[in-house]
Amino acid sequence: HLPCAKEGGFVTEYITPYSSYCPEHRPEQAIESTPEPGTECLICMEPVEERTTYGTMACPVCKRAWFHRDCIQGQAMRAGALFFQCPLCRDSQAFAVQMFILGIRIPFR
C-alpha cells in the first residue's frame, strides 16, 4: 500500500527497478547546508525543519530551495514530467532525478 508506506516513512522509487526502502535503509539527500532560521517551504509558505528529513527536502542544485515532501509531491503531480522543476532555480534535469530517487512520483503526461 502506498498510503501505508508514506505513513511509515518508507521511500518507493518510481524508476526501474522500482525499489522500496524502509525508514532505516531509505535514500537520503546529501545536502550539507542547513536552512536559515525561519526558512519557509516555497510552496505552502509554512516553516520547514532545520535539516533534511523524510518530510523536509531541498533542491540538490541551488541548495537554497527548501520544501515539504507533500508539497513537492503535489507540485510534481500537477506539473508532470515535462514541466516539473525546482521552484526557485528552475532546474529540471538534476532536480527531477533527485526527486525520483527520493520517492517523489512524477507522472509522464
Side-chain angles (χ1 to χ4, degrees), residues 32-68:
E32 295 178 12
S33 64
T34 57
E36 299 285 328
T39 299
E40 297 175 340
C41 172
L42 292 176
I43 300 167
C44 72
M45 304 306 290
E46 294 291 325
V48 295
E49 296 182 48
E50 297 176 0
R51 59 184 176 85
T52 56
T53 62
Y54 177 74
T56 301
M57 305 168 84
C59 174
V61 179
C62 68
K63 298 177 179 64
R64 295 178 304 152
W66 291 82
F67 34 81
H68 300 112

Side-chain angles (χ1 to χ4, degrees), residues 13 21 25-26 66 78 90 101 105 107:
E13 291 181 347
Y21 299 96
H25 298 101
R26 68 181 173 221
W66 291 82
R78 288 185 293 278
R90 306 285 185 216
I101 292 169
R105 180 173 176 258

